[in-house]
């Protein structure tokens, strides 16, 4: 694609737009109408993207704010516009409706759809208490509490108005069948987040369904507040239903015509129950519903399948919803029950419904999120093996490339178009280009590292002060040492941050602290380890791993004679992720193969040129390139059924940790003794990995998967990204 970064001609006053659902900000009326018309067009050539979580915090990507800052707009005589400007410049900048990779991927995907002008809308839930906020205490470990946030004050979020009574909010009515034939109607409000393109010339609307109304029934309220609330199976089941059941009423109220529903994981699968019921009613009418045959249900399901595209994200059990038949019969009705019996049956556990199996059965296309994950998914679901294709994940490069790195890319002549076309990094193959970039890049990296180290040292100080005022024991041993012992910039810094699930093995590198310390002492080289991440509040084993990280700090410090410093940074979110992936010198990924289906934090590091040190799992099988972009370690043999176990005694700590200790000395030597070769490895990441592991390329593959008919112009620009890489290359991996 060769659209140059345009100097957008529209004045700030023209970024107000409106329709019968409200007044919005960030794109011109013309752009707003173009997108809305596409989504309501009778041809149905648009996609409804459904995800339990969407991570798109305005603090890491904020094109409207950038525009205000670029034009130095700080206030306005028009009070309505002034309020908007203040909100975008100073409003809260977190939308805590995500738990980790799945949500962040959804957000990144939607941003690329917006950048590429693909007609997509998204649907998720609004969680008034977010996921959860994390406090960490060195004695207790993780302490979780509800997140406080105000959708009303958050830029880019707008509550839809009722077209018939514009003073009031839009109310949608959502049917739930709780054991009766007549539905209970539950009311919800709707928030729209505008996911605006980098050029402000398009957007993807994300609709967040807000069930927390004062008159909501108790069973709705208890499931509405918190993402992945797992206090009971019924809350979990209801939360999934609240997503799945809202889709059709929402599309209906908006007049949206999408013929395709993309299920990002199986969480929203109950939409298919409603679609099948609709088909049956259209054919037989309500009266005959009791008399239909199984074959009629299956025929209706087959028609519904044509509307569904399904992405499976993990081989790990916790990612797949199962509910007992008994529990579910109290929250559905006869036709749903029969449909579930036919299509959600589990071949191994007969008293449960398996919603992943159901999603496998009702769709027109299935994809995994990397090549290796495709092969693993085929093994897990052999009956659907022919259908399962790979579309390897990516990340939104405009979100994840740090400001410092961005500035030096913009100053490199051959990378001038990098904002609109991440494939231009491929031109760094030309030595001339790389040598122009190298010194600037090195300086940007140094600055990003300095920034991260300052952030950590400031945090250590804050924790120390807090200890005097609160009951919290600082999570880091370093807080108790003199400041001269805190972190220094320029020291080799390894980052690790992701959800604390046991299969991710955060503590693998500390499996043998004696051996790790001996390596540092033998080379007489220091390392900082920076760790962050949250464990799901109900995941006790995950919390134990987090606690173990805290417990290892002091031992590592003493045993390595102060050469090894391990810091845990509480409150992992997108902003911290961005600070870490650009400020460290290497990104560590040590899951048990093949349980990390893709992993995306390592791609964010690669976007900043930061090399990965990783197990050959997920995306790294594709991003490794024979040692040019980083290091691999650990088991990489064939994948058998037994490897899918997450049982503690099958997690292969000893073997894989030993393999990591084997490569570590050469990494340290490269960093400290051959900095030019280390820098080359970084530049190789820009050249080899940015063109592939970005969501523009991924979105282009999804457009093909959807079979969307686009205008010729658009087809051409998207085709450019599709030609960069083919996730679904022929044949399978070992
Ligand atoms: C990218 C990201 C993740 C996902 O990281 P993985 O490597 O895929 O586990 C999780 N949380 C946050 C806040 C992120 O930014």
């Amino acid at each position: 694609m060769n659209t140059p970064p345009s100097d957008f001609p529209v004045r700030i006053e023209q970024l107000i737009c409106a329709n019968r659902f409200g007044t919005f900000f960030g794109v011109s009326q013309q752009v707003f109408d173009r997108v809305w018309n596409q989504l309501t067009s009778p041809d149905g050539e648009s996609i409804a993207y459904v995800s339990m979580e969407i991570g798109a915090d305005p603090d890491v990507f904020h094109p409207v704010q950038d525009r205000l800052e670029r034009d130095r707009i700080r206030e306005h005589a028009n009070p309505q516009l002034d309020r908007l400007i203040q909100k975008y410049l100073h409003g809260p900048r977190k939308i805590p409706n995500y738990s980790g990779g799945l949500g962040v991927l959804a957000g990144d995907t939607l941003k690329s759809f917006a950048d590429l002008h693909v007609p997509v809308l998204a649907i998720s839930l609004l969680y008034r208490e977010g996921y959860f906020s994390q406090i960490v205490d060195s004695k207790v470990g993780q302490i979780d509490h509800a997140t406080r946030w105000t959708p009303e004050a958050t830029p880019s979020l707008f509550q839809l108005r009722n077209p018939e009574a514009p003073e009031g909010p839009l109310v949608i009515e959502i049917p739930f069948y709780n054991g009766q034939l007549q539905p209970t109607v539950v009311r919800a409000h709707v928030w729209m987040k505008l996911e605006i393109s980098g050029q402000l010339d398009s957007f993807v609307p994300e609709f967040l369904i807000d069930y927390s109304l004062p008159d909501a029934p108790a069973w709705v309220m208890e499931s509405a507040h918190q993402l992945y609330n797992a206090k009971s199976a019924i809350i979990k089941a209801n939360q999934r239903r609240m997503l799945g059941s809202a889709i059709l009423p929402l599309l209906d109220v908006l007049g949206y015509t999408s013929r395709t529903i993309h299920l990002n994981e199986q969480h929203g699968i109950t939409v298919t129950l409603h679609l099948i019921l609709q088909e049956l009613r259209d054919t037989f009418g309500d009266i005959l519903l009791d008399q239909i045959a199984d074959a009629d249900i299956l025929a209706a399901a087959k028609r519904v399948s044509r509307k569904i595209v399904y992405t499976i994200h993990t081989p790990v059990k916790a990612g797949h919803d199962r509910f007992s038949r008994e529990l579910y019969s109290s929250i559905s009705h006869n036709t749903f029950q029969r449909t579930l019996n036919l299509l959600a049956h589990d071949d191994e556990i007969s008293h449960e419904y398996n919603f992943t199996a159901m999603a496998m059965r009702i769709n027109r296309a299935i994809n995994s999120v990397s090549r290796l994950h495709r092969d693993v998914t085929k093994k897990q679901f052999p009956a659907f093996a022919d259908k399962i294709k790979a579309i390897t994940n990516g990340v939104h490069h405009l979100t994840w490339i740090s400001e410092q790195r961005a500035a030096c890319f913009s100053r490199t002549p051959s990378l001038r178009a990098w904002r609109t076309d991440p494939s231009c990094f491929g031109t760094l193959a030309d030595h001339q280009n790389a040598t122009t970039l190298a010194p600037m890049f090195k300086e940007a990296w140094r600055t990003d590292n300095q920034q991260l180290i300052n952030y950590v040292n400031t945090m250590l100080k804050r924790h120390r002060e807090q200890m005097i005022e609160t009951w919290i024991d600082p999570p880091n041993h370093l807080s108790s040492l003199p400041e001269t012992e805190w972190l220094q910039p320029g020291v080799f810094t390894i980052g690790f941050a992701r959800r604390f699930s046991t299969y991710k093995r955060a503590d693998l590198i500390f499996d043998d602290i004696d051996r790790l310390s001996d390596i540092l002492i033998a080379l007489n080289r220091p390392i900082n380890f920076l760790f962050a991440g949250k464990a799901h509040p109900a995941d006790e084993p995950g919390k134990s791993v987090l606690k173990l990280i805290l417990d290892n700090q002091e031992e590592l410090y003493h045993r390595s004679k102060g050469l090894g410093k391990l810091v845990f940074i509480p409150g992992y979110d997108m902003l911290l992720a961005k600070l870490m992936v650009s400020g460290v010198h290497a990104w560590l990924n040590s899951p048990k193969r093949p349980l990390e289906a893709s992993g995306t934090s390592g791609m964010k590091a690669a976007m900043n040129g930061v090399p990965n040190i990783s197990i050959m799992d997920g995306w790294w099988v594709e991003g490794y390139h024979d040692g040019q972009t980083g290091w691999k370690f650990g088991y990489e043999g064939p994948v058998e059924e037994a490897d899918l176990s997450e049982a503690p005694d099958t997690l292969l700590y000893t073997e894989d940790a030993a393999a990591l200790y084997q490569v570590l000395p050469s990494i340290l030597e490269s960093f400290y003794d051959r900095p030019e070769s280390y820098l080359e490895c970084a530049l190789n990441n820009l050249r080899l990995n940015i063109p592939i592991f970005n969501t523009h390329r991924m979105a282009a593959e999804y457009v093909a998967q959807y079979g969307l008919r686009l205008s010729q112009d658009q087809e051409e620009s998207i085709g450019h990204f599709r030609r960069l890489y083919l996730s679904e290359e022929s044949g399978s991996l070992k």
Side-chain angles (χ1 to χ4, degrees), residues 57 98-102 104-105 108 395 400 497-499 503-504 572-578 581 587 589 596 598-604 619:
D57 281 335
Y98 62 94
S99 79
L102 181 72
V104 176
L105 177 87
D108 279 11
V395 296
W400 295 108
R498 39 183 72 81
R499 289 181 306 111
Y503 79 87
K504 292 184 184 257
Y572 189 44
D573 67 3
M574 294 180 73
L575 186 64
L576 181 55
K578 188 168 181 175
V581 295
W587 195 251
N589 181 40
E596 189 64 272
S598 161
T600 49
S601 59
M603 300 177 186
K604 299 168 193 168
W619 82 284

Side-chain angles (χ1 to χ4, degrees), residues 150-422:
T150 44
E152 295 75 9
T154 307
S156 75
L157 257 186
F158 297 86
Q159 192 179 43
L160 297 190
R161 315 310 303 166
N162 179 352
E164 266 77 62
E167 293 312 303
L170 177 70
V171 176
I172 59 169
E173 301 195 323
I174 302 162
F176 288 88
Y177 297 91
N178 290 330
Q180 343 83 329
L181 210 55
Q182 286 309 314
T184 302
V185 171
V186 172
R187 291 144 46 92
H189 292 165
V190 181
W191 293 76
M192 178 165 84
K193 183 185 185 216
L194 276 71
E195 208 55 75
I196 295 177
S197 68
Q199 309 287 310
L200 310 189
D201 59 354
S202 192
F203 72 102
V204 163
E206 295 167 17
F207 297 99
L208 306 179
I209 312 294
D210 179 6
Y211 282 94
S212 301
L213 309 193
D215 58 351
W219 64 270
V220 168
M221 218 50 163
E222 68 182 2
S223 298
H225 285 318
Q226 191 198 9
L227 171 63
Y228 299 135
N229 182 330
K231 293 212 176 78
S232 73
I234 189 90
I235 289 180
K236 187 174 160 185
N238 281 334
Q239 201 162 68
R240 307 302 187 267
R241 290 205 300 156
M242 285 159 63
L243 179 64
S245 305
I247 297 166
L248 303 181
L250 177 74
L251 297 180
D252 193 42
V253 162
L254 299 174
Y256 281 11
T257 51
S258 319
R259 276 193 280 108
T260 299
I261 295 175
H262 181 173
L263 297 176
N264 189 43
E265 256 322 357
Q266 87 316 118
H267 300 122
I269 188 67
T270 59
V271 67
T272 60
L273 294 175
H274 293 274
L275 285 165
I276 290 168
L277 183 64
Q278 215 172 54
E279 289 274 341
L280 292 169
R281 282 195 168 130
D282 289 351
T283 316
F284 300 99
D286 255 341
I287 326 239
L288 294 178
L289 274 187
D290 282 348
Q291 296 163 33
I292 51 174
D294 285 355
D296 299 322
I297 296 179
L298 290 171
K302 199 163 177 185
R303 290 194 294 276
V304 168
S305 297
R306 289 183 212 130
K307 299 187 179 184
I308 307 293
V309 170
Y310 164 48
T311 302
I312 181 165
H313 281 268
T314 180
V316 171
K317 277 208 175 63
H320 301 293
D321 295 336
R322 292 159 172 276
F323 299 103
S324 90
R325 287 183 181 227
E326 197 184 328
L327 173 145
Y328 221 88
S329 62
S330 66
I331 52 169
S332 65
H333 69 82
N334 190 34
T335 309
F336 281 9
Q337 207 69 31
R338 290 182 62 193
T339 309
L340 289 164
N341 290 342
L342 290 168
L343 292 158
H345 57 88
D346 189 288
D347 294 339
E348 280 152 32
I349 310 175
S350 61
H351 62 276
E352 283 186 349
Y353 290 131
N354 181 335
F355 279 16
T356 301
M358 184 171 169
M360 285 278 165
R361 293 181 183 118
I362 310 176
N363 64 71
R364 69 166 194 253
I366 307 171
N367 76 282
S368 66
V369 291
S370 73
R371 289 175 181 168
L372 179 61
H373 178 230
R374 170 197 58 202
D375 299 342
V376 171
T377 310
K378 286 182 178 193
K379 281 209 162 83
Q380 282 187 302
F381 300 93
F384 308 96
D386 291 346
K387 270 179 115 172
I388 299 165
K389 305 277 184 265
I391 298 183
T392 301
N393 279 344
V395 296
H396 186 243
H397 67 291
L398 295 171
T399 298
W400 295 108
I401 290 174
S402 79
E403 231 172 273
Q404 302 293 334
R405 309 288 221 280
C408 75
F409 297 156
S410 296
R411 275 186 261 126
T412 304
S414 63
L415 300 182
R416 234 183 6 243
W418 74 271
R419 287 182 178 275
T420 47
D421 183 5

